[in-house]
Amino acid sequence: MRLASRASSDLRSYGMTPFERPLSPHLQIYRPQLTSVLSILHRGTGLALAIGTPFLVWWLVAAAWSDNAFALAQAFWGSWLGLVFLFGWSFSLFFHLLNGIRHLTWDAGWGFALKSTYATGWAVAIGSIGLTVIAWVLGMAARGQP
Amino acid sequence: MKHNVEVRRWVWQRLSALGLIPLTLWFAAMLFEHRGAGRGEILAWLVSPVAVLPLAALLAVMLFHMNLGVREVIEDYVHNARCEHAALRANNLASWLLALLGIAALARLAFGG
């Protein structure tokens, strides 16, 4: 704090207004745009899927363990909380998958033009929401049938 | 370039992503096909190598990809050197632990324990 106040008094002595020096801009400075939102979501969904892996392993271990352990895991997936998690993971998976393919095409040197970046970005946004809705409609419709 | 560990991680992140495309699509289809299945049906399904081998591959490649991705996030956001080191070790430990547990479960399912 002493350093900061000295710096600001130095600035004042040079006739400059203190505390108005440009800082390196951080995330919240920028107006959100499709490209930045998708980029942040790619990390966010990746982390969400990472949190999902222990649950997947739990399900496998429960299946290998016993009828009781498996019934407990299945009861969790069927519960309100389990369904909310599943919904989040299904969207995360579709988004990370589609946007991951978009990233791979960039790595291959394709689709860097601003126009194609936005076109593929919208395709990822609409595609991941669409796939999530289709998966849940199919899943719920099939639930009623044996 | 070839011997730089960062470059190798970058390449492996892409290669594992490529491998995960067919594996995840297969797994999503299998989940849908076996929706509402009881343990008996799952056990019967998992005895077949056609189910166990891709599932083991999915698990291994997925956890490898996860490890690389989480590492990238830690390297970007954890600035304190000691915290970063601890977080990276925890990431590696969690990845190995999940892989071992998952493969052990699959082995028990496949060979009947």
Side-chain angles (χ1 to χ4, degrees), chain B residues 81-96:
Chain B
R82 282 179 70 181
C83 292
E84 183 186 348
H85 189 69
L88 288 174
R89 289 193 64 156
N91 179 37
N92 289 341
L93 189 72
S95 308
W96 277 112

Side-chain angles (χ1 to χ4, degrees), chain B residues 25-109:
Chain B
L25 289 175
W26 168 82
F27 185 60
M30 287 303 112
L31 275 186
F32 186 71
E33 204 178 300
H34 294 273
R35 62 192 178 272
R39 186 171 175 241
E41 196 187 317
I42 298 282
L43 292 184
W45 175 56
L46 282 177
V47 166
S48 143
V50 187
V52 173
L53 292 180
L55 203 52
L58 171 72
L59 205 64
V61 181
M62 179 169 62
L63 290 169
F64 179 49
H65 189 78
M66 175 190 84
N67 181 277
L68 292 172
V70 172
R71 162 183 285 277
E72 206 180 292
V73 174
I74 293 170
E75 284 172 346
D76 277 359
Y77 296 114
V78 183
H79 299 308
N80 178 298
R82 282 179 70 181
C83 292
E84 183 186 348
H85 189 69
L88 288 174
R89 289 193 64 156
N91 179 37
N92 289 341
L93 189 72
S95 308
W96 277 112
L97 195 71
L98 288 172
L100 289 175
L101 278 173
I103 299 295
L106 280 180
R108 191 167 186 227
L109 285 163

Side-chain angles (χ1 to χ4, degrees), chain A residues 6 9 20 24 30 50-51 59 74 115 119 133 135 145:
Chain A
R6 182 172 314 157
S9 68
E20 281 183 20
S24 147
Y30 297 103
I51 293 168
W59 182 75
Q74 291 295 78
K115 213 178 152 189
V133 170
Q145 294 157 16

Side-chain angles (χ1 to χ4, degrees), chain A residues 49-139:
Chain A
L49 289 167
I51 293 168
T53 54
F55 287 85
L56 180 66
V57 170
W58 170 42
W59 182 75
L60 274 178
V61 169
W65 202 264
S66 70
D67 282 339
N68 278 342
F70 190 69
L72 185 72
Q74 291 295 78
F76 171 74
W77 296 121
S79 74
W80 184 82
L81 187 68
L83 287 173
V84 169
F85 277 16
L86 276 182
F87 188 81
W89 283 323
S90 62
F91 170 75
S92 296
L93 186 74
F94 287 131
F95 180 88
H96 205 82
L97 179 69
L98 291 182
N99 204 45
I101 293 171
R102 181 165 169 254
H103 270 277
L104 286 172
T105 61
W106 285 337
D107 295 333
W110 185 87
F112 272 118
L114 200 57
K115 213 178 152 189
S116 32
T117 306
Y118 269 87
T120 53
W122 280 114
V124 165
I126 295 166
S128 51
I129 294 171
L131 282 175
T132 310
V133 170
I134 290 171
W136 281 83
V137 167
L138 283 178

Side-chain angles (χ1 to χ4, degrees), chain A residues 28-59:
Chain A
Q28 65 269 27
I29 295 294
Y30 297 103
R31 185 174 65 88
Q33 14 182 6
L34 181 74
T35 44
S36 64
V37 170
L38 293 186
S39 171
I40 295 162
L41 268 179
H42 196 68
R43 279 217 161 161
T45 51
L47 284 177
L49 289 167
I51 293 168
T53 54
F55 287 85
L56 180 66
V57 170
W58 170 42
W59 182 75

